[in-house]
Structure formats: C-alpha cells, structure tokens
Amino acid sequence: MPDSEVLLRVEHLTKNYETPQGVVEAIGDLTFDVRRGELACIVGPSGAGKTTLLKCIAGLLSPTSGVIELDGVPVTSPPPKMALVFQEYGRSLFPWLTVAANVGLPLKNQGLSRDRRRELVERTLESVGLGGVGGKHPWQLSGGMQQRVAIARAVAYGPEILVMDEPFAAVDAQTRADLEDLVRTLWSRLGVTVLFVTHDIDESVYLGQRVLVLSSAPTFVQEDVAIDLPAERDQLSTRADPRFTELRTHIYSQIQLAKRGNSATTVKEN
Amino acid sequence: MSRPITARRRALESVAYALAFPAALIALWAGSALITPNRFFPGPARVMEAFVSTWLTDAFVVDVLPSLVRLALGIVLSIVLGISLGAVIGSFWVARSFLEPILEFFRAIPPPVLIPVLMLLLGITDEMKIVVIVSGAIWPVLLNTIEGVRAIDPVMRETAATYHLTRGSRVFSLVLPGAAPQIMAGVRQSLSVALILMVISEMFASSSGLGYRISYFQRNYLIAEMWSGIVLLGLIGIALSLIFQAAERVVLAWYHGLKEIERA
C-alpha cells in the first residue's frame, strides 16, 4: 500500500492521565493506519480508552507521546477536514437552535452565501431522511432522528474523514439498524473516510471493511480483522451470512481474550 | 371533554385565585381600619383617594416618570454590562483567577454606602442615581453569567471546536444561549435590587422622584400619601415582574420546551 493512500496515521500513541492516586495508563501503545475512503471500525471492551483515542485523533486531547497525522499533517488541534459525531447527540446539538440552524452553523465559516448554505442544509437533511423537519428543535425529535441531525451536520460540513464515537449506543435496535444502513449509504455515496467506534461487535462487522480490535487499558491493537463480506450489505442477508457469524465469533473471542488480559493484570497489580 | 374550554376555565380560575388573596387582605385592612382607627395606618379607601390625588396628576410626569427612566436605564446597563463582563470572565480562566477576589470584595459593599461618595464625584445627578442602581443590580447578572458560561456542556464546547465555529457563532450561538437560563435567573434578582436602589438613591439626595416624594410625605406626616407611594412601588414591582416573565417566555422558549419533554 503506497503511503499517499493513508489518510490517518496513528503511531505509537500513548496517553496517561495524572490522578491523585497516581498515573493511569489509558492508552498503552497504539499504531494503525486508516486509508483514504475506507470504512474502519474500532471495537473494544468498555474501558478500552476508545473515547480517549477519538479525542486524541480529533485534536481535543493531546497524547502523552506518539504521532497522529491526518493527510500527512500532525494533529495538534481539531483538524479542519474532520467531522465528529458524538455519542451524546443530546449534548452535542444546540437545543436553542432549530435543526436547520444546527446543521448550518458550521458552514458559516466556509464562506458560503446564505442561499447556498440554506440549499446545502436542506439537501443534506433530505439525504439523511429528515426532509421537512428543519424548522423544528432537536429536542422535539426522537433520539434516532436527533442522531440523524448530528450526522447531517457532519456530512454538510464536507469532511474528508468522518469520526463517529459510539453514535448509536443510545437508540433502540430498530432505529439502530436504520442508522447503520444510513452510514453505509452515505459512505458509499460520498466517498468519505469513516472511522466508526463502537462496543457492539455485530455492528462493527456489519458496517466495516475492517475492524480494529482493541485490548483493554492500557490499550494496544489486539487484532486488525479484514471484513471480507460483500460490499452490498443488508440487515437480513448479511447478518444471516455464515461468514458474518464466523467473523463475529472470532472478534468476540478476541474481546474475551482482551478482557481476560485485563483481569490478569489487575490480579498482578493487586 | 373539549380542551379549549377547560384551558380557558383554568386560566380564569388562576386569575381568580391570583386576585382572591389580595382582595381578602384589602378587606382585612379595611375592617381593621374601621374597628381600630390608627393615624399612621389609614384604611384602603383613604389610601386609594391619596393615590389618585397624589400620583395621577403632574406628579406622574415630575416624579414618577424620571424615576422609572432611571430605573430602566439602570436595569438595562446592569444587564448589558453584567452579561458582557460575565461572558468574558466566565470564558477565560485567566480573567477568572485575576478578577474573582476583587469581585467578591466589591460585591460585599452595600451600594447605599457609596451614595455620599458618588454625590461628591458625580454630583446630585441622574448619572449618580443610575450608578447607584447599577452598582447593586449588576451583581446577580454578572455572577450568574459567569456561572452559566462555566457550566456550558463540555461536549458542546468540543462540538464548537471540532466544527471550527466562528468567534461570533461561539458567542451568540453557544455561550450566550447556553448560559441564558442562569442569566435570566440573575436578571430576575437584579430587578428587585434595582427597584430598591432606585428608591434609596432618591431618598438620600434628590428633590424629585418617587423615593424623594415618599420620604417627603413621611417627614410631613402625610401618612395616606406615603402609603399610596408604597403601593405604587409595589405596583411597579408587579409590572417589572410581568415584563420579565414575558421576556423570559421568548428568550427561554427552547428551555421550557426542552424541560417539558424531559419531564414527560
């Protein structure tokens, strides 16, 4: 793989937190690349430092050591070509703004005319299945629809890489399936790179071209699994595919290993 | 059961309840004035009479209106200064650690003690009275704004950072609306402080104004007239509170809607 195809490079990333009880090692030693146009999932047990990793990638936290590069440029503050979808949509959307204003707000910095902005907002809302709700406030919508607003905001921003932090953890199963398909659709239509973090193994296999399995803290990449399922995915047939079952079983056992690794170190520390 | 009728009935009922207690108090007052007449505590009829003859005359233009203008200017200045200073202090850690001890000091000073000094500095002027009002009424707005700005959800701040919101968007679409519920709580407190200081500033050093009139009546044993001035102050207080509630309904419409959904 030639280097120019790498969009996001994470190399020997470590992150320690200083607490009154001493130093906590959140991320041990993480190294991985995400290629341009790829849909990569990161899955790991709870407490694996997934959110810490994302905050480092998003330039919201500075790592203790190691390098993060986006398009060859070291990330030291939030990079301009990245859009983030947070897990807590209710805390990330501004409740005092309408849906359309929420989506349009980041565009004010992009030198678009008011009309162009409105048009882009409308089109994006339609593309996530929210045509006609632009005038409502986020809290008037269901959780799943609110997360669609957050996705629309990220997509309208026109990023090269879309980073999603357990975005569907708080919505019900049916809505979740719809949103997963939405992510697949947007990804293939826009050609954007997607880094999707989840604790749900099935979700990671269903969505990803590749699943990075993280160990528990201090985190490293336990395994890098290529998902060789057909590109056309469908909630019924893909999940019924024997290969899907094989992959999820494999990843599940990897995560169990990771958890055991954690309990072993805990015992050692005690 | 049709909804609009019950809603209207409920509105009527709440108006009736709101008026019932004041009516009972006035009746009690009238009764006690009849049974045990007291020179310093005339009955409601006498006070009402004094109200009409004292305030619904030129005095409204000479005394009441200037007071109200100073009150309004004092309130507006307190709100504008309180919010802008509060937003800056709340946003920047350095400003906070730099200014907070000083703020505690100034906040502890009761504004009336400043009146003699301000009289020397500014003279017995409208400016002096407005400064007195602001010196007390700014604190609830300022401190609540600082708190409100600090309490803005970190996820929202991270959102603003990752999406590179413009400085203007951050101030007017994140910081101010995010702190608005707290700011409005501060404004509500400021209104009553402002009213008190308006009266006090006029009692000390003035030859016109509501506060001056009331203390003039006191000194000249015009007891019913004095009471009518106190009634007028109460009515101004009610008017302020109604204006505030109307403004709050507009400014915090999203907040009340959100709370309603969360409660459901």
Side-chain angles (χ1 to χ4, degrees):
Chain A
M1 194 60 60
D3 237 22
S4 67
E5 294 229 346
V6 170
L7 182 62
L8 177 71
R9 200 162 70 84
V10 176
E11 214 171 80
H12 297 299
L13 180 76
T14 66
K15 176 72 190 173
N16 301 334
Y17 288 107
E18 307 266 353
T19 68
Q21 282 78 38
V23 176
V24 174
E25 243 188 333
I27 296 179
D29 183 359
L30 265 181
T31 299
F32 63 88
D33 289 340
V34 177
R35 289 182 292 277
R36 200 179 290 279
E38 192 172 38
L39 201 174
C41 289
I42 291 180
V43 66
S46 50
K50 299 191 287 283
T51 297
T52 305
L53 167 65
L54 278 202
K55 284 197 172 171
C56 290
I57 291 175
L60 296 168
L61 261 182
S62 47
T64 306
S65 68
V67 181
I68 298 171
E69 279 182 10
L70 185 68
D71 222 354
V73 181
V75 173
T76 49
S77 63
K81 297 167 184 168
M82 180 184 290
L84 221 65
V85 175
F86 295 82
Q87 180 183 343
E88 309 100 324
Y89 47 78
R91 294 172 56 194
S92 164
L93 297 172
F94 297 170
W96 44 85
L97 295 181
T98 62
V99 165
N102 264 290
V103 175
L105 193 60
L107 305 177
K108 287 194 179 166
N109 217 358
Q110 297 189 351
L112 297 173
S113 72
R114 191 179 283 259
D115 287 340
R116 272 286 288 125
R117 246 178 10 230
R118 191 169 4 189
E119 189 190 295
L120 179 57
V121 167
E122 209 140 293
R123 203 154 27 108
T124 315
L125 281 174
E126 240 152 66
S127 74
V128 300
L130 289 179
V133 306
K136 294 202 171 176
H137 283 85
W139 39 269
Q140 293 172 307
L141 308 176
S142 68
M145 285 168 92
Q146 290 185 44
Q147 197 54 292
R148 279 176 197 262
V149 177
I151 292 172
R153 176 174 65 186
V155 168
Y157 188 60
E160 277 187 24
I161 182 165
L162 186 57
V163 177
M164 305 178 87
D165 181 12
E166 303 203 25
F168 310 144
V171 299
D172 62 85
Q174 182 54 53
T175 310
R176 188 174 189 140
D178 293 343
L179 288 169
E180 285 164 7
D181 289 334
L182 175 65
V183 169
R184 288 283 306 184
T185 311
L186 290 172
W187 166 68
S188 61
R189 195 167 66 209
L190 302 171
V192 67
T193 310
V194 178
L195 184 62
F196 191 102
V197 173
T198 176
H199 62 263
D200 183 328
I201 296 161
D202 288 42
E203 185 167 76
S204 70
V205 176
Y206 180 74
L207 281 178
Q209 293 179 300
R210 192 178 150 210
V211 174
L212 295 158
V213 183
L214 298 189
S215 72
S216 32
T219 315
F220 56 92
V221 176
Q222 177 123 346
E223 205 186 350
D224 187 343
V225 186
I227 304 297
D228 47 4
L229 292 167
E232 273 304 312
R233 296 192 190 171
D234 167 275
Q235 291 287 351
L236 286 178
S237 55
T238 304
R239 286 180 192 267
D241 192 325
R243 184 65 188 140
F244 181 88
T245 318
E246 259 175 60
L247 285 164
R248 79 173 287 280
T249 310
H250 176 72
I251 292 170
Y252 184 80
S253 59
Q254 285 297 318
I255 294 212
Q256 290 307 312
L257 265 178
K259 280 195 198 156
R260 262 202 300 284
N262 178 44
S263 59
T265 50
T266 318
V267 170
K268 234 186 336 198
E269 276 163 18
N270 287 349
Chain B
M1 189 162 64
S2 66
R3 239 201 147 89
I5 288 179
T6 41
R8 198 182 305 153
R9 170 177 285 179
R10 178 164 289 181
L12 280 176
E13 270 179 17
S14 76
V15 170
Y17 282 130
L19 294 178
F21 191 51
L25 280 181
I26 290 172
L28 194 70
W29 177 15
S32 73
L34 266 178
I35 297 161
T36 54
N38 183 327
R39 191 172 142 62
F40 297 105
F41 201 29
R46 174 74 192 90
V47 172
M48 189 62 208
E49 196 185 301
F51 189 93
V52 173
S53 62
T54 309
W55 303 112
L56 302 183
T57 57
D58 286 352
F60 188 79
V61 180
V62 177
D63 289 316
V64 181
L65 220 47
S67 290
L68 290 180
V69 169
R70 288 191 291 264
L71 177 66
L73 280 174
I75 288 172
V76 168
L77 270 176
S78 300
I79 292 174
V80 170
L81 286 175
I83 291 177
S84 5
L85 283 175
V88 171
I89 298 171
S91 297
F92 299 104
W93 175 83
V94 178
R96 216 157 49 234
S97 23
F98 199 61
L99 291 173
E100 243 164 16
I102 295 275
L103 291 182
E104 287 298 325
F105 175 79
F106 281 116
R107 186 172 71 117
I109 299 173
V113 306
L114 296 175
I115 292 175
V117 186
L118 289 173
M119 269 162 62
L120 284 175
L121 292 175
L122 296 172
I124 301 174
T125 55
D126 285 343
E127 288 80 3
M128 182 276 281
K129 294 180 187 104
I130 292 170
V131 169
V132 170
I133 294 174
V134 172
S135 70
I138 195 173
W139 298 108
V141 181
L142 178 66
L143 299 176
N144 274 281
T145 305
I146 295 175
E147 272 314 301
V149 170
R150 288 183 63 181
I152 284 172
D153 196 315
V155 175
M156 289 189 186
R157 290 193 179 281
E158 285 173 356
T159 303
T162 52
Y163 284 103
H164 296 267
L165 297 191
T166 58
R167 196 175 286 268
S169 295
R170 279 181 211 219
V171 173
F172 293 104
S173 299
L174 173 60
V175 171
L176 292 184
Q182 281 255 43
I183 293 174
M184 290 309 275
V187 170
R188 161 171 258 149
Q189 293 174 34
S190 285
L191 295 181
S192 44
V193 175
L195 184 59
I196 293 169
L197 289 176
M198 174 202 86
V199 174
I200 292 179
S201 70
E202 292 168 355
M203 283 181 151
F204 260 84
S206 191
S207 53
S208 73
L210 198 43
Y212 163 75
R213 272 291 143 202
I214 292 173
S215 56
Y216 169 86
F217 292 143
Q218 282 173 349
R219 282 184 217 123
N220 293 284
Y221 288 96
L222 295 164
I223 303 302
E225 283 72 13
M226 176 206 81
W227 280 110
S228 76
I230 292 171
V231 168
L232 181 57
L233 283 176
L235 292 177
I236 293 171
I238 290 177
L240 278 179
S241 149
L242 289 178
I243 294 169
F244 172 81
Q245 281 171 30
E248 201 216 25
R249 262 199 296 281
V250 175
V251 174
L252 293 185
W254 65 269
Y255 183 72
H256 295 307
L258 180 67
K259 287 289 155 224
E260 201 127 306
I261 300 252
E262 278 174 4
R263 249 182 267 127

